[in-house]
Amino acid sequence: ASTLKTLTAFAAATTLDMGSTLDTKSYLIQGDDDRKTVVLQGEGDMLLSDGESDPSHINGHAGLGTLAQRTAEALKQRGITQVDLLYDDSLFGQDRTPAGVTENNAEHRYYTAISTMAVDGGRTWTDMVKPASPCATPANPDDSSQYPVLSQQPALDAATTFAKRLADNGITVTSGPTAGAAPSGTSALASVSSAPLNEVMAFMLRHSDNTLAQLFGRLTALKRQAGNSIKTDTQAVADTLAEQGIDTSGLQMADCSGLTPGSKVSVTTLIEVQERNLTAGIATAAAEGLSIPGLVGTARNRIVTGPDNGLFRVKTGSLDAVTGNVSRVKGGVLSFAVIVNDPENQWSAIKAINVMAAKLAKL
């Protein structure tokens, strides 16, 4: 289940520059017929905002409103006030959705195809449109506790929003947005940058975001030059674990998030990932981004209460599995993993895990 995200996080943190960002850029093409075309191109920032960039949050750190303003300023300096609009969403190829994910993706609430750009992860709130969802936009953009329907065309939606923001800044979009290609060997007109990858990873882990997990798998595969498909995403993760000396016996990954049926992982693999997070010093972001029971993330109401709050960093999966590490009251850190297969009573299993894990801090 979602504990599989810890494997993806470790592989990504080991492979990628976690201090780098995902940039969204605009380019200008000036045709022989004197037509002016702006091209919007993304690198995978699926947490864009539809307004101004907001450096105080991860979701919305880069804003399409800010990008449009900067683009409009650059266009006006060239005497341009009318453009066609293209968007380049080609970076991740065609294979972006794991086969079989629909079984656990009712109404498209838990996964949308990875994209080079998206506003708010593709979430469609009820005060934006009227899908079959009771969810309203939260006051805190980093709040992902609700599961609204996800757009199935997030890049086009982002480009459409960008067109509106260009208009707000005095640039008329005469046609588009239409899928196209950014020019090669040309400097960008303007750009905005996501939060650093380590912060995006923390957002992914703490909110158990399936799409962002797959995105990290794809970025890892591309960095390793392993390919550009769901299969190469999972293979890149598995290969990275093996190269780091982690036991991957019996590992099967149907995707990089654990949402798609068919994945299998052992407690040995889960524990060894946590041990490497703590001791190897190569995947710090994968450890620091875990949910903290009592404080933050999907496990904030799990495992502990009172004086033990803040001692644990964990990732839960399907409620009856958990992996992570715990700071011992008497000093030192323990790595642990628990998997309960087919419990007769899931609630009893959850309570048993909570009781067991809470006692680890006292060892």
Side-chain angles (χ1 to χ4, degrees), residues 3 6-7 241 245-251 264-276 322-324 335-339:
T3 51
T6 61
L7 278 60
L241 299 182
I246 293 172
D247 185 350
T248 58
S249 301
L251 176 63
K264 292 184 179 180
V265 62
S266 70
V267 290
T268 300
T269 300
L270 292 173
I271 289 175
E272 291 190 3
V273 165
Q274 296 303 326
E275 288 177 341
R276 296 298 190 282
V322 64
T323 184
S335 298
F336 68 97
V338 182
I339 297 174

Side-chain angles (χ1 to χ4, degrees), residues 72-146:
E73 290 173 354
L75 291 171
K76 291 175 182 178
Q77 288 174 1
R78 294 166 172 79
I80 300 171
T81 58
Q82 293 187 3
V83 297
D84 299 331
L85 180 61
L86 301 178
Y87 67 98
D88 188 343
D89 185 40
S90 61
L91 179 61
F92 299 139
Q94 299 299 315
D95 187 6
R96 306 183 185 201
T97 300
V101 74
T102 53
E103 183 175 334
N104 291 330
N105 190 31
E107 302 179 285
H108 302 294
R109 293 180 186 274
Y110 309 115
Y111 182 85
T112 188
I114 56 174
S115 175
T116 59
M117 61 190 99
V119 175
D120 192 13
R123 298 171 185 88
T124 55
W125 303 99
T126 51
D127 51 352
M128 297 165 51
V129 292
K130 294 183 179 180
S133 168
C135 305
T137 307
N140 179 0
D142 288 338
D143 178 0
S144 291
S145 58
Q146 302 180 79

Side-chain angles (χ1 to χ4, degrees), residues 61-289:
H61 192 277
L64 289 173
T66 297
L67 180 60
Q69 179 184 18
R70 294 173 181 174
T71 301
E73 290 173 354
L75 291 171
K76 291 175 182 178
Q77 288 174 1
R78 294 166 172 79
I80 300 171
T81 58
Q82 293 187 3
V83 297
D84 299 331
L85 180 61
L86 301 178
Y87 67 98
D88 188 343
D89 185 40
S90 61
L91 179 61
F92 299 139
Q94 299 299 315
D95 187 6
R96 306 183 185 201
T97 300
V101 74
T102 53
E103 183 175 334
N104 291 330
N105 190 31
E107 302 179 285
H108 302 294
R109 293 180 186 274
Y110 309 115
Y111 182 85
T112 188
I114 56 174
S115 175
T116 59
M117 61 190 99
V119 175
D120 192 13
R123 298 171 185 88
T124 55
W125 303 99
T126 51
D127 51 352
M128 297 165 51
V129 292
K130 294 183 179 180
S133 168
C135 305
T137 307
N140 179 0
D142 288 338
D143 178 0
S144 291
S145 58
Q146 302 180 79
Y147 295 94
V149 173
L150 300 175
S151 168
Q152 298 306 292
Q153 52 179 23
L156 175 58
D157 291 347
T160 300
T161 297
F162 182 65
K164 294 176 182 177
R165 299 298 170 261
L166 283 176
D168 293 341
N169 285 275
I171 301 297
T172 300
V173 177
T174 53
S175 70
T178 307
S184 58
T186 302
S187 298
L189 277 178
S191 66
V192 288
S193 300
S194 71
L197 288 184
N198 66 303
E199 294 184 17
V200 179
M201 178 173 286
F203 184 97
M204 179 274 287
L205 287 169
R206 291 174 181 173
H207 299 295
S208 203
D209 191 303
N210 299 296
T211 300
L212 291 182
Q214 195 66 48
L215 177 68
F216 272 110
R218 181 60 54 91
L219 293 173
T220 300
L222 291 176
K223 181 68 174 182
R224 290 174 58 94
Q225 299 183 326
N228 202 3
S229 69
I230 299 297
K231 182 177 180 179
T232 55
D233 297 348
T234 56
Q235 191 61 53
V237 172
D239 288 348
T240 303
L241 299 182
E243 290 168 6
Q244 295 299 324
I246 293 172
D247 185 350
T248 58
S249 301
L251 176 63
Q252 297 179 26
M253 297 182 66
D255 62 16
C256 291
S257 70
L259 182 64
T260 304
S263 293
K264 292 184 179 180
V265 62
S266 70
V267 290
T268 300
T269 300
L270 292 173
I271 289 175
E272 291 190 3
V273 165
Q274 296 303 326
E275 288 177 341
R276 296 298 190 282
N277 283 343
L278 294 169
T279 61
I282 55 176
T284 305
E288 292 182 344

Side-chain angles (χ1 to χ4, degrees), residues 43-77:
E43 296 180 347
D45 187 356
M46 296 191 69
L47 297 177
L48 292 162
S49 79
D50 62 0
E52 295 183 1
S53 298
D54 180 2
S56 64
H57 290 96
I58 300 170
N59 186 16
H61 192 277
L64 289 173
T66 297
L67 180 60
Q69 179 184 18
R70 294 173 181 174
T71 301
E73 290 173 354
L75 291 171
K76 291 175 182 178
Q77 288 174 1

